[in-house]
Amino acid sequence: MTIDEPDEIVDVLQDVALPAGTPVLRDLDLAAHYSVAREPGEAAGAWFDVVPLAAGRVALVVGQAAGSGVGAAVAASGVSAVIRAGLLCHEDAAA
């Protein structure tokens, strides 16, 4: 797969920054919808994530990187990955 255009880069980054679906959790019904309100190539830096934790806990994360375009999409995907990793590696940080 070759990605040559900024619009394609933005779309790929947003796809990987957002969860593919919501996890099935005991005692919690989740639904999510993300609707992009932008022109092609003008990605917003918004993201969300649902991270199941130990002892039946769950972290709901919503974020917004400043700006638009490839820079915002890169920032959003990077920050969301760091937050997820931090929550999973240091669950006491989620308390």
Side-chain angles (χ1 to χ4, degrees):
M1 173 182 196
T2 302
I3 301 173
D4 297 320
E5 298 296 320
D7 293 356
E8 294 172 340
I9 295 169
V10 165
D11 290 342
V12 168
L13 287 171
Q14 284 188 320
D15 285 346
V16 300
L18 298 171
T22 54
V24 176
L25 301 168
R26 184 176 169 208
D27 299 325
L28 183 62
D29 293 325
L30 294 173
H33 176 76
Y34 183 84
S35 181
V36 178
R38 65 169 170 88
E39 295 296 321
E42 295 179 1
W47 83 91
F48 70 92
D49 201 357
V50 180
V51 185
L53 303 171
R57 297 181 308 148
V58 62
L60 303 174
V61 183
V62 178
Q64 172 71 46
S68 63
V70 174
V74 168
S77 64
V79 171
S80 66
V82 168
I83 290 172
R84 175 176 265 275
L87 287 168
L88 294 173
C89 293
H90 304 285
E91 288 195 25
D92 55 327

